[in-house]
């Protein structure tokens, strides 16, 4: 028997989202934290840009975490192909995505993740023989700032990934695995920032994990038994060790 219908958090974006469930990814960490509180739904599509995102079908969750911008910021390819989206169109697409999500329900909350930094050196080492593209940290900064500005204009919550990741020494190799996608340390930073935004948002009802009810959190005679001969409630995610994401 499963529990009652739970809040749904949708992770919507490109490969930064699609790959978030592997290698200690940030999506997997969120799914662990909210295991008894909300369903984390993955809607990540490698290679997508904001142009493709505006065509996505309607959804009606409690929270949508949106990431687009990195692929959009890739420099135009000589063939006219590729994921590049000009900055004015990216800004307009971001507004369209935000307006659509805000129109779904008064209770649907939205957090945008800005474009993270890119390490051109690491891209050259890991991806230059696979993908013909130019992706620079400066272009990521420009698209990151554009996303954050749209969120300020529309009174939406946002995480400045471009700045947060670069606070770490040697972020190019500590936080990124190939110059673009996140290593475990980068994912931990994303989760910390997302949880901080959720905690400080003061939404009603709160979507902060500590403020949300846990399914089947009541004591049960079927819980594991401690060395003292008493049952141990195992409903919270930090029971078995450190909780390094806050």
């Amino acid at each position: 028997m499963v529990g009652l219908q739970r809040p749904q958090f949708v992770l919507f974006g490109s490969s930064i989202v699609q790959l978030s469930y592997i290698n200690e990814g940030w999506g997997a960490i969120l799914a662990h934290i909210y295991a008894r509180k909300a369903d984390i739904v993955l809607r990540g599509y490698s290679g997508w840009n904001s142009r493709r995102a505006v065509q996505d079908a309607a959804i009606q969750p409690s929270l949508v975490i949106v990431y687009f911008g990195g692929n959009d910021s890739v420099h135009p390819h000589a063939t006219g192909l590729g994921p590049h989206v000009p900055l004015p169109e990216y800004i307009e697409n971001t507004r369209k995505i935000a307006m659509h999500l805000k129109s779904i329900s008064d209770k649907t909350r939205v957090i945008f993740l800005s474009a993270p930094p890119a390490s051109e050196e690491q891209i050259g080492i890991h991806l230059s023989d696979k993908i013909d593209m130019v992706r620079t940290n400066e272009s990521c900064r420009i698209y990151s700032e554009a996303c954050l500005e749209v969120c300020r204009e529309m009174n939406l919550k946002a995480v400045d990934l471009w700045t947060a990741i670069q606070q770490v020494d040697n972020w190019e190799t500590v936080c990124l695995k190939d110059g673009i996608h996140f290593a475990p340390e980068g994912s931990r930073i994303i989760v910390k920032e997302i949880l901080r935004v959720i905690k400080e948002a003061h939404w009603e009802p709160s979507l902060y994990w500590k403020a949300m009810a846990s399914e089947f959190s009541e004591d049960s005679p079927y819980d594991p038994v401690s060395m003292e001969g008493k049952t141990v409630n195992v409903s919270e995610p930090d029971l078995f060790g450190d909780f390094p994401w806050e």
Side-chain angles (χ1 to χ4, degrees):
M1 179 178 178
V2 297
L4 300 175
Q5 183 174 353
R6 307 195 297 179
Q8 185 181 79
F9 295 2
V10 173
L11 313 183
F12 180 44
S14 58
S15 58
I16 294 296
V17 176
Q18 180 173 327
L19 302 178
S20 68
Y21 270 57
I22 62 173
N23 299 325
E24 302 178 53
W26 61 275
I29 295 173
L30 285 176
H32 168 63
I33 293 171
Y34 284 91
R36 293 200 182 203
K37 303 169 187 293
D39 292 326
I40 309 297
V41 180
L42 185 67
R43 291 293 182 268
Y45 307 94
S46 289
W48 270 39
N49 55 23
S50 64
R51 188 178 293 161
R52 298 182 73 174
V54 298
Q55 303 169 8
D56 190 58
I59 47 179
Q60 192 168 351
S62 297
L63 172 66
V64 184
I65 299 175
V66 184
Y67 165 75
F68 289 102
N71 288 332
D72 298 68
S73 75
V74 171
H75 289 201
H77 195 273
T79 63
L81 303 173
H84 171 73
V85 173
L87 185 62
E89 182 184 346
Y90 169 73
I91 292 171
E92 184 58 27
N93 289 340
T94 301
R95 286 198 184 102
K96 288 178 180 178
I97 295 168
M99 290 172 63
H100 168 70
L101 295 175
K102 290 181 71 173
S103 72
I104 293 173
S105 166
D106 290 340
K107 296 297 185 181
T108 296
R109 311 304 185 185
V110 181
I111 299 174
F112 275 81
L113 308 180
S114 79
S119 169
E120 293 136 68
E121 179 180 0
Q122 293 300 311
I123 291 172
I125 293 172
H126 295 284
L127 299 175
S128 61
D129 62 338
K130 301 179 179 70
I131 303 175
D132 182 15
M133 70 171 181
V134 177
R135 184 164 176 164
T136 68
N137 198 29
E138 175 60 15
S139 64
C140 288
R141 180 191 67 80
I142 292 170
Y143 280 68
S144 172
E145 290 185 355
C147 174
L148 297 173
E149 180 59 29
V150 170
C151 290
R152 284 190 289 268
E153 291 175 2
M154 300 186 69
N155 194 29
L156 291 169
K157 303 300 181 184
V159 173
D160 181 357
L161 287 184
W162 192 85
T163 298
I165 294 296
Q166 292 184 90
Q167 302 305 304
V168 178
D169 291 339
N170 301 314
W171 61 269
E172 298 93 335
T173 53
V174 172
C175 296
L176 305 177
K177 64 181 182 179
D178 57 11
I180 294 175
H181 302 105
F182 292 109
E185 181 59 29
S187 286
R188 283 189 281 270
I189 292 171
I190 297 176
V191 172
K192 286 182 180 179
E193 292 298 311
I194 290 173
L195 291 179
R196 177 186 59 79
V197 169
I198 293 175
K199 183 178 182 180
E200 295 175 358
H202 301 298
W203 288 322
E204 292 294 340
S206 175
L207 299 179
Y208 182 55
W209 72 277
K210 288 185 178 179
M212 296 176 71
S214 292
E215 283 188 320
F216 307 113
S217 59
E218 67 278 1
D219 291 334
S220 168
Y222 303 111
D223 283 337
V225 180
S226 71
M227 299 304 294
E228 290 76 28
K230 299 179 180 180
T231 56
V232 179
N233 191 309
V234 293
S235 62
E236 294 300 336
D238 55 345
L239 175 70
F240 295 108
D242 294 334
F243 195 75
W245 304 295
E246 291 187 294

